[in-house]
Amino acid sequence: MERDEVLKSDAFGRVERTADGAGRTATRRTARGRGPLFDLVARLLLARERRALERLAGVDGVPRLLAGDSSDDPRRVLLRTFVPGEPLWAATALPSDFFERLEDLVREVHARGVCHNDLHKEQNVLVRPDGRPALIDFQLASVHERESRRFRVRAAEDLRHVDKHRRRYLRRDGPKTAEERATRPPRSFLAAVWRRFGKPLYRGVVGLFPSLSEPEPRRPTSGPWPEWTAALGEGSQSEPMRPERKFDSSA
């Protein structure tokens, strides 16, 4: 790669598609906030992502930490493997069992004591070229003792967001049976408070200071919706996707 490609730039720094020391495509997050407060938050977010990725080493479908340049400050620079694929909102085709595979991946992340905490964003779920799911952007992730109540609550939130995406892509407005209502992950108390009070406040702040956040890409309700293909592992699926572009939409 001749030069770095900026994937995202905001008040907390930027994310670039670059190359590691061996010339392999990688993703570099640089934490440099616009002002002392933003700079502190940016470094805290980078530290959260580093800790989560260290715990998740070896999990297929999660970026892997790479050794940065010797001149890089680890408090400000994080280098990880680049995950090729389309974000969920842009995928043109999905295996029929994609969301089951996505739930399996999220549960594997939970098995390491890590909660993603940002799965409501479709851009944080990637559809890899072979149709398998991947997760990116762990800057809000948290690491827990699995027996703790906080872990159980946050893990349930992750699974609720997976369920929400599944129902939306299956074009279902809500549970249709008593069994579905019983098994659908409930919204936690904190999530309910956020939805009622925090989210409107956040949107108001972003409206006043748009540079703090970029609009979250989301597939319009009007579509177009992805084509369903054979389940992963069933039949031939040499070209499960036909994306117009491939990118790691790190935030």
Side-chain angles (χ1 to χ4, degrees), residues 205-220:
V205 171
V206 169
L208 293 174
F209 305 98
S211 64
L212 296 182
S213 178
E214 295 180 350
E216 296 178 6
R218 188 172 188 264
R219 191 182 299 273

Side-chain angles (χ1 to χ4, degrees), residues 86-236:
E86 286 283 308
L88 179 59
W89 65 266
T92 58
L94 290 176
S96 60
D97 61 346
F98 177 81
F99 289 102
E100 286 70 23
R101 295 298 184 102
L102 175 60
E103 182 175 333
D104 289 343
L105 174 57
V106 172
R107 290 186 183 278
E108 188 174 358
V109 168
H110 291 167
R112 298 287 187 98
V114 178
C115 296
H116 189 283
N117 300 323
D118 207 15
L119 289 181
H120 71 284
K121 295 181 180 178
E122 292 182 56
Q123 68 263 35
N124 289 341
V125 178
L126 290 188
V127 185
R128 289 184 277 180
D130 61 1
R132 292 177 300 155
L135 301 177
I136 58 172
D137 189 10
F138 282 80
Q139 64 176 343
L140 295 182
S142 51
V143 178
H144 307 266
E145 294 297 329
R146 295 189 63 223
E147 296 76 15
S148 69
R149 182 179 182 279
R150 178 173 294 182
F151 169 78
R152 293 195 300 270
V153 169
R154 293 189 175 185
E157 280 300 297
D158 280 352
L159 293 173
R160 187 179 68 82
H161 286 304
V162 171
D163 184 69
K164 183 178 178 180
H165 291 314
R166 173 167 36 213
R167 292 179 179 280
R168 185 167 186 263
Y169 275 74
L170 292 176
R171 314 300 298 282
R172 301 177 65 178
D173 296 329
K176 303 299 182 183
T177 67
E179 182 180 359
E180 287 176 327
R181 285 192 291 271
T183 58
R184 188 177 187 183
R187 181 178 285 114
S188 69
F189 173 74
L190 289 178
V193 171
W194 165 256
R195 183 180 178 87
R196 181 68 178 86
F197 301 104
K199 198 168 185 178
L201 178 61
Y202 170 79
R203 286 177 173 172
V205 171
V206 169
L208 293 174
F209 305 98
S211 64
L212 296 182
S213 178
E214 295 180 350
E216 296 178 6
R218 188 172 188 264
R219 191 182 299 273
T221 302
S222 59
W225 293 90
E227 172 189 358
W228 293 104
T229 63
L232 292 166
E234 294 182 12
S236 175

